Amino acid sequence: MEAYKVTVATGTSEYSGTNNYVYVTLIGEHGESERTVLDKLGPDLCRGAVDEYEVKSSVPLGSIWLVRLEKRRFWVEDNWFCLYVKVKTPDGTSLTFPCYRWFVGDMDIELREGTAKRMLDDTIPELLAHRRRELQERKQTYRWQAWKPGIPKCIDAKSEKDLPQDSRFDNEKTSDFEGSLQYALLELSLKKLVINFGKSWCDLEDFRRIFWRLKSPVAEYVMEHWKEDWFFGYQFLNGSNPRMIECCYHLPDNFPVTGDMVQATLGPKTNLYKEMKAGNIYLVDYSVLEDIPANEIRGKQQYLCAPLCLLYEDPVQGLLPLAIQLKQTPGQNNPIFLPSDPELAWVLAKTWVRHAEFQIFQLLSHLLRTHLVVEVFCVATLRQLPAVHPVYKLLAPHLRYTLEINIRGRTQLISEDGIFKRVVSTGGTGLLLVAQREYQKLTFKSLLPTFDFKARGVTRLKNYFYREDCMTLWNTIHSFVSGIVTLYYSSDQEVIEDQELQSWINEVVNEGFVDTPNFGLSSDLKDRKELITLLTTVIFTCSVQHAATNNGQFDWCSWVPNTPCTMRLPPPSCKDSITIEMIMDTLPDMHQSCVEMAITWHLSRAQPNAIPLGQYPEEYFTEASAKAEIKKFQEELKEIEEFIIERHGNSELKYLYLCPSQIENSITI
């Protein structure tokens, strides 16, 4: 009898262990071992346990191809999460078989040895058949659906409970996610604020009553400086929506700003046209919101507008607003607001711009351009790439929990009775129309920071920390992906001949993004450069880009006048009739303000089980060469972290959202 030493590792999260029967069988080139129950003296397969067993075979198995694990119910169902299996052969060879799967009910899984293999690398019929079976099962489990027309397709699941356990939150994540929002709302309920439906605040300082335990240094800074013009401009660079601003060399025809209007802000030594020619004038245009129907909340009409905002990069003060027009069509009842206007008129005009910012960053910069885009790659990866494929191993950690959080978003945030419908001015039909309008213009290139910053003409803007950190992180991720791809594809021809990879990109384009006329991503991969750029974009989007738009929500939105979720009166048509009472009746009411604060805290707070960018506790790659690339990646991220922290020194306002330790590997919230 040949004896093999088998090590089985059980997950560390809650309820990972099992009391059910688990059997192991080794499958090799010369046959199979005995079917061996994993049972030794004392408890087996407990949470966090690493157990060793002996498995015998009547014949030498030769190369071990597969490890078969079987779980069978004992009295009651008890799920099990297996991390990996290690096998030590009689000649001392050690093999690792990654698993990272839940065993639910009576279930069998056959594991491949951890070395990444393309289909071209597999010549053994049994292993090729294993690849096909795995994908057939996955295609039955993970199916496409069009949740709504005109947006990316998504996973076919009505609720998170329809997902297989492998794609679900673990128990700790579920408890924390469901409890944190209730905690925030309970805190506000204790202050008897959240129940005040339709009641306006007395004055701007009255919004301070929301704050209690839920605070942050940046949120408190916002509270003190939100009215200041330099700070208004700063948020276009480093706030929650830093991807809208673009250089303006010619004024739009529908924004009739004159040089005389803005001369006071520019100063006596220059003028508007000189500064436009020099590339120092910038524009933010919210035309995507034009004619979008506003929500109705508790029988009360809410309001939207599609502003245009002109800004100037002052060499001393930074980015300053020059002029604001609240609607796209100029006219007598659509005045151009200026810094020289009455103070309350200028404050309200800026607030309407910030209100548009809330809609755009939540629905487009955050939801559409990170969550929904990444979900397409997630579903295609699960359906077209077996677990042994190197691209699957590279992407899997960056797709963790994305399906469940997106389903929860569709059912709890943007559904017909979700939170957006209850407190946001684009809630209801408006949010879908905004997303559909943007989706028709969405391009793959716009997801690449290397293209985006040049296209918007913002490569020279000073103190644009978002741009600086994005480019640094993009280059680092690109280098990491290049290293991994080069390990497994020695030529462009090997990319072309990888049938699974080509099926993957074909499904991404022709299934997930089928309704995007201008997306511009080819349905086949022609070389390693294309593959590296695509994989870098996926990882960058689900980590860096998501962190940039998600992690600062509470900081920028909790002081509600700075970024209101809704507006309860129409935009002003006259500068001289604006009063503080009008502003208070326009801003969100007490209930809406409380929910805005609670939901932005809930969505942007640091997650208790977060896995930072570049950390891979689940070791899908087992080869020393791939692990060396990962280690190099981690070292470079550490250097970036140190640079970002040192950059700001003792500055009171720091841009830390793209510190690698603050960026999650995947979209989990």
Side-chain angles (χ1 to χ4, degrees):
M1 298 290 284
E2 295 284 317
Y4 295 80
K5 182 180 289 186
V6 174
T7 303
V8 180
T10 298
T12 58
S13 63
E14 198 171 17
Y15 304 124
S16 290
T18 186
N19 290 317
N20 286 180
Y21 289 119
V22 176
Y23 301 87
V24 64
T25 305
L26 308 182
I27 303 171
E29 60 180 321
H30 299 312
E32 298 186 3
S33 71
E34 294 180 351
R35 179 175 183 259
T36 304
V37 64
L38 300 183
D39 186 21
K40 57 181 175 55
L41 186 64
D44 296 277
L45 308 179
C46 297
R47 175 184 178 184
V50 179
D51 299 303
E52 292 188 355
Y53 305 91
E54 185 175 83
V55 175
K56 293 183 178 181
S57 174
S58 59
V59 296
L61 297 175
S63 297
I64 306 296
W65 292 341
L66 300 166
V67 170
R68 181 187 299 130
L69 293 172
E70 307 169 59
K71 187 179 80 67
R72 297 293 181 262
R73 184 178 306 178
F74 175 68
W75 291 106
V76 295
E77 175 55 49
D78 193 11
N79 298 342
W80 176 50
F81 188 78
C82 176
L83 296 176
Y84 59 81
V85 175
K86 291 186 177 181
V87 178
K88 190 171 185 180
T89 65
D91 65 4
T93 302
S94 184
L95 304 169
T96 301
F97 295 76
C99 184
Y100 308 114
R101 297 280 306 276
W102 280 99
F103 287 71
V104 179
D106 291 346
M107 184 173 179
D108 302 357
I109 295 178
E110 291 181 347
L111 307 177
R112 287 284 301 265
E113 192 271 325
T115 303
K117 295 284 184 70
R118 301 163 302 148
M119 181 183 286
L120 293 169
D121 301 321
D122 273 339
T123 57
I124 299 168
E126 289 83 354
L127 295 181
L128 288 168
H130 180 269
R131 298 179 87 105
R132 289 193 294 270
R133 287 197 305 273
E134 180 182 3
L135 292 181
Q136 287 169 358
E137 291 172 3
R138 294 239 214 98
K139 288 174 183 177
Q140 293 175 358
T141 302
Y142 299 96
R143 300 174 304 277
W144 292 101
Q145 74 160 343
W147 181 66
K148 298 289 183 182
I151 60 173
K153 285 190 178 179
C154 61
I155 189 69
D156 183 7
K158 293 181 180 179
S159 80
E160 67 276 5
K161 295 177 182 178
D162 294 332
L163 287 174
Q165 192 64 39
D166 290 330
S167 295
R168 294 291 312 276
F169 293 168
D170 62 24
N171 190 69
E172 292 97 329
K173 170 78 172 174
T174 300
S175 298
D176 176 77
F177 182 88
E178 294 175 352
S180 63
L181 180 59
Q182 297 305 316
Y183 166 80
L185 292 172
L186 175 61
E187 176 176 309
L188 294 167
S189 296
L190 292 174
K191 301 178 76 174
K192 299 181 180 179
L193 297 174
V194 76
I195 59 174
N196 288 308
F197 301 104
K199 185 175 181 180
S200 299
W201 301 92
C202 297
D203 54 44
L204 292 170
E205 288 300 302
D206 212 19
F207 281 95
R208 292 178 182 268
R209 292 169 57 195
I210 304 179
F211 288 88
W212 188 15
R213 292 195 185 98
L214 305 183
K215 293 182 179 180
S216 80
V218 174
E220 295 190 59
Y221 190 94
V222 171
M223 193 189 312
E224 301 301 327
H225 297 277
W226 70 283
K227 289 184 183 179
E228 299 170 26
D229 283 359
W230 76 267
F231 187 68
F232 177 82
Y234 174 90
Q235 292 182 80
F236 289 110
L237 304 179
N238 303 306
S240 284
N241 189 35
R243 48 159 293 273
M244 288 282 290
I245 188 169
E246 57 186 42
C247 196
C248 178
Y249 292 100
H250 304 282
L251 288 171
D253 292 339
N254 64 333
F255 196 13
V257 178
T258 67
D260 290 341
M261 287 181 181
V262 299
Q263 191 62 53
T265 304
L266 295 174
K269 296 182 179 180
T270 188
N271 61 58
L272 177 61
Y273 303 102
K274 283 184 180 180
E275 294 300 333
M276 277 198 293
K277 187 175 181 180
N280 296 324
I281 301 298
Y282 294 87
L283 178 70
V284 183
D285 185 351
Y286 299 92
S287 58
V288 70
L289 293 175
E290 186 178 15
D291 297 327
I292 295 295
N295 195 8
E296 185 177 289
I297 301 174
R298 292 181 172 267
K300 299 293 180 67
Q301 182 63 50
Q302 309 297 295
Y303 295 90
L304 280 166
C305 68
L308 295 121
C309 180
L310 199 66
L311 301 111
Y312 163 57
E313 187 180 29
D314 184 277
V316 177
Q317 299 180 73
L319 198 63
L320 298 175
L322 288 176
I324 294 171
Q325 182 178 288
L326 296 182
K327 301 175 186 177
Q328 291 286 308
T329 303
Q332 185 176 356
N333 293 324
N334 185 23
I336 294 176
F337 290 84
L338 305 167
S340 56
D341 288 339
E343 180 184 0
L344 291 181
W346 184 234
V347 167
L348 184 56
K350 289 190 293 182
T351 303
W352 272 102
V353 172
R354 295 297 304 164
H355 166 255
E357 277 280 281
F358 184 95
Q359 316 307 317
I360 298 302
F361 100 73
Q362 289 286 13
L363 298 176
L364 305 183
S365 301
H366 183 199
L367 176 66
L368 175 63
R369 297 175 67 92
T370 64
H371 282 258
L372 301 188
V373 164
V374 169
E375 185 170 359
V376 169
F377 290 96
C378 184
V379 176
T381 299
L382 289 165
R383 287 173 51 83
Q384 297 296 342
L385 298 178
V388 75
H389 197 285
V391 172
Y392 180 92
K393 288 174 177 284
L394 176 63
L395 291 183
H398 299 284
L399 305 175
R400 172 178 177 258
Y401 292 163
T402 299
L403 294 183
E404 174 153 354
I405 194 61
N406 281 8
I407 292 170
R408 286 179 178 268
R410 285 189 284 271
T411 58
Q412 299 172 20
L413 284 180
I414 61 174
S415 59
E416 294 179 359
D417 58 350
I419 290 176
F420 265 60
K421 176 59 182 173
R422 300 205 300 269
V423 299
V424 178
S425 56
T426 48
T429 58
L431 64 87
L432 181 60
L433 292 173
V434 174
Q436 289 170 331
R437 188 176 288 180
E438 178 77 2
Y439 187 51
Q440 293 302 302
K441 301 184 297 181
L442 181 67
T443 66
F444 174 71
K445 277 188 175 181
S446 70
L447 302 175
L448 282 63
T450 48
F451 173 85
D452 174 55
F453 295 123
K454 290 180 181 178
R456 292 191 286 118
V458 294
T459 56
R460 296 190 302 111
L461 265 172
K462 299 179 181 66
N463 297 322
Y464 199 178
F465 303 124
Y466 162 75
R467 180 198 64 217
E468 294 175 14
D469 295 348
C470 276
M471 289 306 303
T472 301
L473 288 161
W474 168 272
N475 291 333
T476 300
I477 295 170
H478 188 274
S479 176
F480 167 58
V481 171
S482 298
I484 293 293
V485 168
T486 303
L487 286 177
Y488 299 103
Y489 295 90
S490 60
S491 68
D492 294 339
Q493 189 63 29
E494 290 187 349
V495 171
I496 295 171
E497 293 176 356
D498 189 334
Q499 295 177 19
E500 291 169 338
L501 189 65
Q502 298 296 343
S503 296
W504 172 73
I505 187 60
N506 181 68
E507 186 153 309
V508 166
V509 173
N510 293 322
E511 190 72 55
F513 293 119
V514 66
D515 295 326
T516 319
N518 302 307
F519 197 60
L521 183 62
S522 175
S523 60
D524 58 356
L525 289 162
K526 301 176 184 64
D527 53 44
R528 291 190 297 178
K529 183 179 179 181
E530 281 189 2
L531 177 59
I532 290 166
T533 299
L534 177 58
L535 295 176
T536 301
T537 304
V538 175
I539 294 174
F540 177 87
T541 302
C542 65
S543 58
V544 179
Q545 192 60 56
H546 181 257
T549 56
N550 177 79
N551 293 3
Q553 290 188 64
F554 180 76
D555 288 342
W556 305 109
C557 302
S558 57
W559 179 249
V560 174
N562 183 62
T563 318
C565 60
T566 191
M567 298 291 251
R568 296 180 295 138
L569 290 179
S573 57
C574 175
K575 299 180 182 183
D576 297 324
S577 61
I578 296 169
T579 64
I580 188 63
E581 290 77 18
M582 177 183 178
I583 292 177
M584 301 316 299
D585 287 341
T586 300
L587 289 169
D589 65 29
M590 289 187 176
H591 171 77
Q592 293 163 343
S593 301
C594 289
V595 175
E596 176 179 343
M597 182 184 190
I599 194 63
T600 54
W601 175 80
H602 169 64
L603 295 177
S604 63
R605 68 197 175 85
Q607 300 298 296
N609 61 349
I611 299 176
L613 178 62
Q615 303 303 310
Y616 299 102
E618 295 185 347
E619 296 185 351
Y620 288 92
F621 285 109
T622 61
E623 304 94 303
S625 55
K627 288 184 175 182
E629 293 294 335
I630 291 172
K631 184 177 180 182
K632 178 185 174 184
F633 182 38
Q634 293 170 340
E635 289 171 351
E636 292 178 359
L637 290 172
K638 184 178 179 182
E639 292 175 3
I640 293 171
E641 178 103 9
E642 292 170 354
F643 170 79
I644 291 174
I645 292 173
E646 291 175 5
R647 174 181 66 195
H648 292 290
N650 296 321
S651 173
E652 193 174 359
L653 184 60
K654 302 176 181 180
Y655 186 78
L656 302 178
Y657 305 118
L658 297 186
C659 280
S661 64
Q662 304 303 308
I663 301 170
E664 281 203 70
N665 249 346
S666 60
I667 298 175
T668 71
I669 190 65

